[in-house]
Amino acid sequence: MVKEAPSSRAAGRETFVLNLGPQHPATHGVLRVRLTMDGEYLVEAEPVCGYIHRMQEKMGENRTYAQFLPNTSRIDYLSAMMYTHAFVGVVERAARIQVPPRAEYIRVITSELNRISSHLVWWGAFLLDLGGFTPLLYAFDDRERILDLLEGLTGARLTYCYYRFGGVCNDVDESFLRGTRAFVTHMRPRLKMYRDLVTGNIIFQKRLKGIGPISAEMCRRYGATGPVIRGAGVAYDVRRAEPYSAYPDFDFEIPTYPECDSLARYMVRMAELEQSLRIIEQALDRFPDGPVMAEKVPRVLKLPAGDFCYAVEAARGRFLVRLVSDGKDGAYRLKLRTPSLSNLSLFGEASQGMLLPDALAMMGSLDLVIPDIDR
Amino acid sequence: MSGDIPSEKASLDGPAVPDGGPALRPNPLAHLPIPFQVVDYAERGVHLDASVAPDQVVAVAGELDKSGFAIDTITGVDWLAEGQMEVVYDFFHPTQRLRVAVRTRVPREHPEVPTISTVFPGANWHERETHDFFGIRFAGHPDLTPFLLPEDATYHPLRKDFNP
């Protein structure tokens, strides 16, 4: 439960400043939070960003579209497929390229595999934050199977550059399809084991229940999306709100939990693992034949002048690319709106009056990727 | 969270339509005093787009706030040849299938717009970032110190005349 900070009752009481980071292990990257503490309670928390800022948006302006494509998997390196999807999506929208159905299905399968592997990293690391070491080993064991599958298909294990303007760079083979089906079969009992091992654990539940409430209204005012807004009971998912690719073909649920606490955000991601498996299974069942690249996509793309947006549901929430073109072979302006930045922006307000260890549990439940904030 | 948008077509409960469906006609936000143009979502990635005067952005953000919109992002575009800076505000609706963009232009020599962080606290960081990259000042903003750039940065790297 959030307790009222003693400071709010006794103004003028002595406080001290505590620097969390820039390299605290619980922040998985180089994030710094300047905390004003009253004993163990947070009076004020101010995230200090930019330690690994790379000016990706400038790189988007001084490269051609194809040259910038590999950068998109290095923003949120755990959602590389989805981020590449948004960038090829906005270019395809501007150039009016029709992507063949088989390529769209491959994109959905690989994006959902990527979502599962991202959630598995979060699951392991989050429990590590809370003091449980073993779950990480289980998570990475299962994640390894996804990385092997995607490595066989794309040649990369993390920073995939597999999607192309108009499709994907090569067709899937029999071993990928067989392996993906085997993974779905393998993963379902593992999810049950995760529930038995961790989710049902009373110590774990007491650590998260009622901790770090983030209401739907707060999500709206800060633009928080993904499992954060769904853990506040709002079924907002870009795959439904702005349907793209082949997602309208599949039957899946948007898991929501109305409790608004850290446990709700945990439960949302656990349920999403199951939904991603469902989507992959349906895509494999109805996998269409045909080409995996659109015909006649020029090697050097020049987009018509204009202002174009494309949003995807990445593992952490809404990722939006805004591309302003002036008719040349590279973007005049490329804006990357990343979910981690918006999700972290509410931390200062949401963490007020919390105990420090509770605030860290809440930060873990936001699933931050720091290069996604700093870009 | 409630939005009074009289359009069943835009509800998230409806069947999923690829590419966001056809252009929303008529404008479901016609009751608001915002000069929205209906645009084709499949072509542009937004449903409604409005250009307003710089002194209107706070009132526009207030109207969208009352209609239940969420702040998506804020960014700039440097139109060097025209001597103007554009500020683009993006909003999405958490429960309706509706994406809107609002834009305004200010002279390049004096790029200043009022802050909307008083309406959407989430705008605070987006405006700080826009100030970092473009040097656009947001009047009334609580803290325009560098956000992503080094703390002593005096340059604005996304200006088209920026030379490192």
Side-chain angles (χ1 to χ4, degrees), chain A residues 166-180:
Chain A
V168 295
C169 76
N170 56 289
D171 203 351
V172 296
D173 57 10
E174 222 10 77
S175 79
F176 174 81
L177 295 175
R178 231 184 6 248
T180 305

Side-chain angles (χ1 to χ4, degrees), chain A residues 242 322 332-333 337 375, chain B residues 41 72 75 78 90 129:
Chain A
E242 294 177 51
R322 168 182 287 279
Y332 185 77
R333 171 83 180 99
R337 183 268 191 220
R375 288 160 287 142
Chain B
Y41 180 90
D72 195 353
T75 193
D78 181 9
D90 280 294
E129 184 187 306

Side-chain angles (χ1 to χ4, degrees), chain A residues 49 58 61 93 96 216 220-221 223 225 240-243 307-309 318 322 332-333 335 337 375, chain B residues 17 19 41-45 65 69 71-73 75-76 78 90 97 99 103 121-122 129 147 157 160:
Chain A
C49 305
K58 187 76 177 178
E61 288 180 12
R93 173 165 284 160
R96 302 187 181 211
R220 185 183 72 78
R221 289 185 298 120
T225 49
R240 277 286 154 73
E242 294 177 51
D307 184 329
F308 310 93
C309 292
R318 178 179 170 81
R322 168 182 287 279
Y332 185 77
R333 171 83 180 99
K335 167 69 187 168
R337 183 268 191 220
R375 288 160 287 142
Chain B
V17 195
D19 287 333
Y41 180 90
E43 281 175 21
R44 292 274 315 280
D65 178 42
F69 277 87
I71 180 82
D72 195 353
T73 190
T75 193
D78 181 9
D90 280 294
R97 204 168 276 160
R99 258 280 286 131
R103 52 190 80 230
E129 184 187 306
F147 178 57
K160 289 289 175 186

Side-chain angles (χ1 to χ4, degrees), chain B residues 35-85:
Chain B
F36 275 123
Q37 301 281 318
V38 177
V39 293
D40 189 352
Y41 180 90
E43 281 175 21
R44 292 274 315 280
V46 289
H47 295 110
L48 301 169
D49 201 315
S51 294
V52 302
D55 58 356
Q56 289 301 303
V57 293
V58 180
V60 167
E63 290 292 342
L64 292 172
D65 178 42
K66 270 185 253 157
S67 303
F69 277 87
I71 180 82
D72 195 353
T73 190
I74 299 171
T75 193
V77 185
D78 181 9
W79 298 103
L80 183 65
E82 288 140 69
Q84 289 177 324
M85 290 267 187

